[in-house]
């Protein structure tokens, strides 16, 4: 199986830097299922071509202890097309051999990484279940010019007709990391097959690699369905997260500013974060979660406090997490600090093992972004399954909204808020939680208090009654 990547960017041999593979050398890599070789059939300043030759070992495939081909159909030992076609094996090889390029990292040419350059990918044999039509539907919306030549099933017997195999060229002016990412995801989608077990982790992979383009792709449903091997619950979850994120991203950029504008006059955000940090300190927490951490303002405060030995930020939005990482200057943090903090993508709509075992969780201005019918799931995920000793949770107090001069009567503070609660509503919701999950609760106002309407933010501090 051969993948060729060419550029006419000048000097074209810079492709060697972007791929982290020297054009003059042949390099080989051992993979679980065979070998990958990288070499350059052409390396001139005007045009440079890198080739990734994947030599899948059919015997190793059959011998793999959990090799599904071996288990599922013995005939596959004799007639498997796997060694010869572009498939999830090639995706794995790309991730392994070109990992820095796939992630868009290049120390020698940092600017070039982000520069769209003319690129062409050629795949000798690409299986396309769904034919040329699907091939075009997948790549053309991403800006590719697609050339495809369908292979006959057997050249000796033309009557047998066409096969599902195509020789394909894809041309685009884009970043190399985009090209590799699109291939990485879309090859197994076209093949509609994966050589390994597909579970929850694949959702994360799909959303991470699809971050910049999947939410806008007209075929996102087919992509998710096929990538996740038609497992309905996984597909459903992936699409839900994608939509959630998409809605937020469209909104958040403009709306976050608006909310800051509304609340900004009274410097509420800072007061809120300082209060939450103090509360977590008072609770004696050492290992803390910031759920719906957004762009990481609270994380920054927590990092400045030595008491917190382990700090984890989770958010559904990849974009927010990326900004958080930049704001924390994560890459430049000393090793000791880096070890204290971790960010990951996840949704409060789904039970998540990664959230168990912490002393405390902060959920600051997040619940009002959840759909009311999904609040019950959130409650179990946090209070029953994750079960931290302390939960510090804040949400707007709607009664206070009349005090904001620049907020139209009846409007929420943020377009993405699904609800805002009065003090009574919040307190009776919290009381329900204490009963169902064995916590106690106390309430604190945050921000300047006004007569009759209270403070702009309301905070609940939940404490688990019994040690887990
Ligand atoms: N806690 C931060 C951000 C609040 S904005 C702060 O106080 O500044 C709300 C955040 O919740 C956003 O970053 C949004 O992406 C996140 N969010 C919304 N729904 C979520 C969900 N289901 N799971 C996890 N995070 C979610």
């Amino acid at each position: 199986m051969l993948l060729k990547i060419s550029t006419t960017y000048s000097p074209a041999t810079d492709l060697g830097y972007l791929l982290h593979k020297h054009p003059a050398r042949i390099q080989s890599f051992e993979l679980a299922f065979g070998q990958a070789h990288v070499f350059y059939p052409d390396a001139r300043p005007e045009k440079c071509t890198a080739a990734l030759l994947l030599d899948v070992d059919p015997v190793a495939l059959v011998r793999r202890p959990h090799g599904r081909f071996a288990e599922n159909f013995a005939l596959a030992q004799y007639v498997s097309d796997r060694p010869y076609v572009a498939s999830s094996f090639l995706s794995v090889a790309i991730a392994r051999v070109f990992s820095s390029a796939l992630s868009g990292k290049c120390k020698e040419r940092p600017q070039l990484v982000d520069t769209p350059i003319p690129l062409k990918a050629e795949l000798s044999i690409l299986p396309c279940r769904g034919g040329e039509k699907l091939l075009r539907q997948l790549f053309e919306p991403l800006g590719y010019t697609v050339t495809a030549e369908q292979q006959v099933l057997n050249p000796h017997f033309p009557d047998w007709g066409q096969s599902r195999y195509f020789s394909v060229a894809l041309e685009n002016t884009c970043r190399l990391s985009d090209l590799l990412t699109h291939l990485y995801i879309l090859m197994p989608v076209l093949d509609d097959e994966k050589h390994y077990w597909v579970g929850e982790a694949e959702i994360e992979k799909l959303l991470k690699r699809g971050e910049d383009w999947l939410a806008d792709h007209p075929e996102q449903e087919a992509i998710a369905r096929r990538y996740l091997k038609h497992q309905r619950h996984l597909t459903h979850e992936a699409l839900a997260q994608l939509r959630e994120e998409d809605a937020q991203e469209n909104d958040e950029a403009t709306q976050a500013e608006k909310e800051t504008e509304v609340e900004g006059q009274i410097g509420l955000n800072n007061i809120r974060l300082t209060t939450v940090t103090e509360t977590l300190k008072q609770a004696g927490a050492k290992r803390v979660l910031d759920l719906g951490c957004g762009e990481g303002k609270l994380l920054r405060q927590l990092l400045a406090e030595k008491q917190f030995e382990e700090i984890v930020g989770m958010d559904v939005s990849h974009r927010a997490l990326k900004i958080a990482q930049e704001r924390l200057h994560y890459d430049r943090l000393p090793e000791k600090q880096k070890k204290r903090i971790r960010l990951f993508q996840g949704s409060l709509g789904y039970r998540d093992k990664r959230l168990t075992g912490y002393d405390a969780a902060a959920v600051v201005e997040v619940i009002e972004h959840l759909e009311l019918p999904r609040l019950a799931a959130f409650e179990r995920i946090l209070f029953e399954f994750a079960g931290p000793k302390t939960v510090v949770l804040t949400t707007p107090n709607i009664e206070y909204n009349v005090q904001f001069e620049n907020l139209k009567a009846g409007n929420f503070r943020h377009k993405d808020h699904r609800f805002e609660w009065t003090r009574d509503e919040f307190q009776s919701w919290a009381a329900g939680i204490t009963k169902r999950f064995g916590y106690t609760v106390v309430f604190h106002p945050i921000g300047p208090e006004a007569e009759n309407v209270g403070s702009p933010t309301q905070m609940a501090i939940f404490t688990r009654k019994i040690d887990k």
Side-chain angles (χ1 to χ4, degrees):
M1 170 59 228
L2 187 65
L3 162 67
K4 287 196 286 182
I5 296 174
S6 312
T7 186
T8 49
Y9 169 83
S10 181
T13 42
D14 270 3
L15 185 62
Y17 289 109
L18 287 176
L19 288 171
H20 296 243
K21 300 285 172 287
H22 197 287
R25 284 216 301 268
I26 299 180
Q27 291 185 49
S28 300
F29 303 81
E30 288 298 329
L31 306 170
F33 46 82
Q35 281 197 320
H37 310 279
V38 179
F39 57 96
Y40 289 74
D42 193 357
R44 292 168 292 134
E46 322 72 89
K47 183 171 181 235
C48 183
T49 302
L52 172 63
L53 178 70
L54 187 58
D55 189 6
V56 174
D57 176 359
V59 178
L61 278 194
V62 177
R63 288 212 185 117
R64 280 153 58 87
H66 303 295
R68 45 189 311 268
F69 297 104
E71 276 165 22
N72 287 2
F73 40 95
L75 195 61
Q77 297 182 20
Y78 304 100
V79 296
S80 171
D81 64 354
R82 298 295 94 184
Y84 315 107
V85 306
S87 67
S88 53
F89 287 114
L90 189 55
S91 294
V92 172
I94 287 176
R96 171 73 203 287
V97 174
F98 297 138
S99 66
S100 304
L102 181 64
S103 315
K105 288 190 199 131
C106 178
K107 278 207 190 101
E108 275 94 357
R109 295 286 185 280
Q111 261 133 36
L112 194 54
V113 166
D114 288 322
T115 311
I117 59 174
L119 287 166
K120 181 176 184 181
E122 292 166 274
L123 291 150
S124 55
I125 299 285
L126 180 64
C128 302
R129 271 181 233 267
E132 185 173 338
K133 184 160 167 246
L134 183 65
L135 173 70
R136 291 187 181 281
Q137 283 170 339
L138 293 183
F139 282 98
E140 285 177 350
L142 297 166
Y144 290 89
T145 306
V146 177
T147 318
E149 193 188 321
Q150 192 164 14
Q151 306 291 317
V152 291
L153 205 51
N154 187 327
H156 302 296
F157 300 97
D159 294 354
W160 290 10
Q162 301 286 348
S163 70
R164 64 187 167 93
Y165 302 108
F166 289 75
S167 298
V168 173
L170 303 163
E171 286 172 87
N172 200 358
T173 299
C174 60
R175 297 176 302 185
L176 178 64
S177 58
D178 294 331
L179 172 68
L180 292 174
T181 305
H182 296 149
L183 290 173
Y184 177 88
I185 297 286
L186 296 178
M187 286 187 311
V189 164
L190 276 163
D191 186 24
D192 208 7
E193 180 63 86
K194 283 227 180 109
H195 68 276
Y196 51 86
W197 169 247
V198 169
E200 296 267 341
E202 287 301 279
I203 296 182
E204 202 173 322
K205 222 190 269 172
L206 177 67
L207 294 177
K208 179 171 162 231
R209 298 275 175 223
E211 179 190 8
D212 294 335
W213 54 277
L214 195 51
D216 298 327
H217 200 293
E219 294 300 325
Q220 59 168 258
E221 282 200 41
I223 294 171
R225 197 173 60 238
R226 285 171 162 234
Y227 194 82
L228 300 167
K229 287 207 61 187
H230 303 268
Q231 296 190 50
R232 290 243 305 273
H233 76 284
L234 292 182
T235 309
H236 178 78
E237 190 170 323
L239 290 172
Q241 287 195 31
L242 209 53
R243 291 197 187 114
E244 210 162 340
E245 183 161 325
D246 192 31
Q248 266 150 27
E249 296 206 341
N250 286 338
D251 255 17
E252 216 95 332
T254 44
Q255 288 301 315
E257 277 164 33
K258 211 161 152 208
E259 187 175 19
T260 326
E261 219 174 81
V262 173
E263 294 187 340
Q265 294 165 324
I266 50 176
L268 185 58
N269 197 31
N270 276 339
I271 305 173
R272 191 159 50 216
L273 297 178
T274 313
T275 314
V276 172
T277 305
E278 270 314 303
T279 311
L280 290 168
K281 269 173 77 180
Q282 297 286 325
K286 292 187 177 148
R287 306 178 61 232
V288 293
L289 295 164
D290 181 7
L291 303 175
C293 63
E295 298 174 358
K297 289 193 191 112
L298 178 65
L299 295 172
R300 264 217 329 237
Q301 287 208 10
L302 297 176
L303 198 59
E305 300 288 341
K306 284 208 190 73
Q307 175 177 327
F308 304 117
E309 293 167 6
E310 189 181 337
I311 304 160
V312 169
M314 182 183 101
D315 203 284
V316 75
S317 159
H318 284 286
R319 204 181 67 119
L321 288 170
K322 212 165 166 184
I323 297 173
Q325 186 162 2
E326 281 160 20
R327 294 237 172 111
L328 287 162
H329 304 296
Y330 181 82
D331 293 335
R332 281 182 273 142
L333 283 180
E335 277 310 308
K336 211 173 135 203
Q337 296 289 69
K338 250 189 202 164
K339 279 204 188 113
R340 288 175 62 213
I341 189 154
R342 209 150 45 88
L343 299 175
F344 60 73
Q345 195 271 347
S347 165
L348 289 167
Y350 305 96
R351 191 174 164 175
D352 193 330
K353 282 205 270 310
R354 297 172 297 182
L355 304 181
T356 51
Y358 286 85
D359 299 329
V363 193
V364 180
E365 306 295 285
V366 174
I367 57 165
E368 64 277 7
H369 291 261
L370 307 178
E371 300 286 351
L372 265 174
R374 297 182 73 175
L375 214 51
F378 158 78
E379 291 163 24
R380 292 194 67 195
I381 288 157
L382 179 57
F383 293 95
E384 183 178 330
F385 300 124
K389 177 106 183 81
T390 307
V391 174
V392 182
L393 189 146
T394 76
T395 195
N397 163 20
I398 195 172
E399 295 167 76
Y400 189 91
N401 284 3
V402 292
Q403 299 285 321
F404 290 119
E405 280 166 11
N406 50 355
L407 183 65
K408 254 188 32 218
N411 277 13
F412 291 150
R413 296 181 204 177
H414 191 301
K415 215 175 94 201
D416 194 45
H417 286 181
R418 307 301 151 96
F419 59 88
E420 285 176 0
W421 276 337
T422 62
R423 284 167 294 174
D424 267 356
E425 285 168 325
F426 182 51
Q427 292 179 13
S428 61
W429 173 74
I433 287 178
T434 60
K435 283 202 204 93
R436 282 195 297 281
F437 305 107
Y439 279 76
T440 57
V441 68
V442 290
F443 300 96
H444 285 284
I446 298 182
E449 283 184 78
E451 217 180 309
N452 296 330
V453 296
S455 65
T457 298
Q458 33 189 352
M459 173 169 76
I461 308 167
F462 297 90
T463 309
R464 208 182 50 230
K465 284 194 217 152
I466 310 163
D467 275 348
K468 271 205 167 175

